[in-house]
């Protein structure tokens, strides 16, 4: 129910004019499985996405009312644990949940139930704020180099190259794009 509720709330926010793109760090693994499972049970909803290896990079969810949100995994841009990435980018952040708590979860997955809703909210909000700061800093860096933040590190880097190199347009030659795409996927 948590995944269904989260998707419904994100779609309601998007419908009201709020953000349509939602980021989660390392969300393309187990989180994506919970979300995909929830969407299967939501009548009239559809989802399409992009994967790399065993992880979901981007997932576009459309409600039965036609409202669309996109869920992205920031791990596809910055492939470090969130705490390590924050340290590397020199972003101050104090983890609310201790390593001891995470270690206890490996022994007893139900240990998280001992936390109050207030403690969970404080910890999750702190991580969300830290991820926002990390993505903002990464976005600034790509912009400083003439590109922009995209869904993966490679596509973000390519946006910088496109600003510096005259890459021939394939506009009007979609057969070439389709052929290249099929060859790449097949390879």
């Amino acid at each position: 129910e948590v995944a269904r509720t989260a998707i419904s709330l994100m779609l309601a926010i998007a419908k009201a004019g709020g953000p349509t793109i939602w980021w989660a760090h390392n969300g393309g693994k187990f989180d994506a499985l919970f979300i995909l499972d929830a969407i299967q049970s939501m009548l009239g909803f559809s989802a399409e996405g992009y994967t790399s290896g065993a992880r979901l990079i981007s997932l576009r969810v459309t409600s039965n009312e036609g409202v669309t949100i996109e869920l992205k995994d920031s791990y596809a841009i910055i492939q470090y644990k969130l705490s390590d990435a924050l340290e590397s980018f020199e972003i101050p952040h104090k983890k609310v949940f201790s390593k001891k708590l995470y270690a206890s979860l490996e022994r007893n997955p139900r240990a998280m139930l001992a936390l109050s809703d207030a403690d969970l909210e404080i910890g999750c909000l702190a991580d969300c704020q830290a991820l926002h700061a990390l993505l903002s800093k990464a976005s600034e860096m790509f912009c400083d180099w003439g590109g922009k933040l995209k869904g993966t590190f490679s596509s973000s880097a390519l946006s910088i190259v496109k600003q510096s190199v005259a890459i021939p347009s394939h506009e009007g030659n979609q057969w070439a794009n389709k052929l290249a795409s099929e060859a790449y996927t097949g390879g």
Side-chain angles (χ1 to χ4, degrees):
E1 288 303 309
V2 172
R4 288 171 55 106
T5 301
I7 293 164
S8 296
L9 289 171
M10 287 186 273
L11 286 161
I13 290 169
K15 184 177 180 180
T20 59
I21 298 176
W22 297 77
W23 292 86
H25 198 70
N26 213 8
K29 298 282 270 186
F30 295 113
D31 296 346
L33 294 176
F34 293 127
I35 289 169
L36 287 170
D37 184 55
I39 292 168
Q40 286 181 332
S41 66
M42 298 171 85
L43 296 177
F45 282 58
S46 64
E48 59 182 348
Y50 299 99
T51 60
S52 176
R55 53 183 335 112
L56 189 64
I57 294 172
S58 178
L59 180 67
R60 184 179 305 264
V61 179
T62 304
S63 73
N64 53 7
E65 298 175 332
V67 179
T68 300
I69 58 171
E70 193 167 353
L71 310 175
K72 293 182 175 272
D73 185 359
S74 58
Y75 193 85
I77 298 167
I78 303 166
Q79 296 182 354
Y80 291 100
K81 288 187 336 188
L82 183 57
S83 58
D84 292 345
L86 294 168
E87 184 178 327
S88 179
F89 279 74
E90 299 177 350
I91 297 171
H93 175 65
K94 183 178 181 294
K95 291 293 282 180
V96 174
F97 301 134
S98 67
K99 289 182 180 180
K100 184 178 178 181
L101 172 65
Y102 284 116
S104 72
L105 290 174
E106 289 180 19
R107 291 187 305 278
N108 176 13
R110 300 186 61 75
M112 189 66 86
L113 297 174
L115 295 173
S116 70
D117 288 349
D119 288 339
L120 285 171
E121 183 177 348
I122 290 168
C124 290
L125 183 58
D127 283 351
C128 289
Q129 290 168 333
L131 179 58
H132 182 266
L134 180 63
L135 288 172
S136 295
K137 192 158 191 179
S139 181
E140 286 174 22
M141 293 171 79
F142 284 114
C143 287
D144 288 347
W145 296 326
K148 62 183 185 177
L149 185 67
K150 301 278 201 162
T152 65
F153 181 81
S154 299
S155 58
S156 300
L158 183 59
S159 75
I160 296 169
V161 172
K162 285 181 175 180
Q163 294 301 316
S164 305
V165 178
I167 298 175
S169 172
H170 294 291
E171 196 68 32
N173 296 310
Q174 290 306 314
W175 65 268
N177 286 338
K178 184 175 184 208
L179 181 65
S181 176
E182 288 173 355
Y184 179 74
T185 302

